[in-house]
């Protein structure tokens, strides 16, 4: 699970505390699509476009793979 936290902190530039709270809530190395959507919006608000694009693509893949969830 530490790899997931490290990757999300590095690629989405969110705090490790926030990522750990999200993964604990999801009971494993997962994040909710809503969390990715919130991250995307917050990065757009501060004009961090590259990071917003990463969050958007993760959200898009999640919606595509788990469309029936």
């Amino acid at each position: 699970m530490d790899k997931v936290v490290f990757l999300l902190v590095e690629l989405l530039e969110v705090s490790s505390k926030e990522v750990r709270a999200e993964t604990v809530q999801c009971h494993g190395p997962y994040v909710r699509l809503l969390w990715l959507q919130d991250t995307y919006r917050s990065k757009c608000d501060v004009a961090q476009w590259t990071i917003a694009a990463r969050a958007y693509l993760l959200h898009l893949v999640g919606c595509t793979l788990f469309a029936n969830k």
Side-chain angles (χ1 to χ4, degrees), residues 59-67:
H59 186 269
L60 182 65
V61 168
C63 288
T64 303
L65 291 178
F66 305 108

Side-chain angles (χ1 to χ4, degrees), residues 15-59:
S15 70
S16 61
K17 183 179 177 182
E18 181 182 354
V19 174
R20 287 189 192 282
E22 179 64 22
T23 55
V24 166
Q25 183 176 352
C26 292
H27 305 292
Y30 314 106
V31 294
R32 295 172 294 142
L33 292 175
L34 181 62
W35 183 83
L36 283 172
Q37 188 177 35
D38 292 341
T39 302
Y40 167 77
R41 286 185 180 148
S42 69
K43 297 304 177 181
C44 284
D45 289 343
V46 293
Q48 292 179 326
W49 304 118
T50 303
I51 300 164
R54 290 176 187 157
Y56 177 79
L57 289 172
L58 280 173
H59 186 269

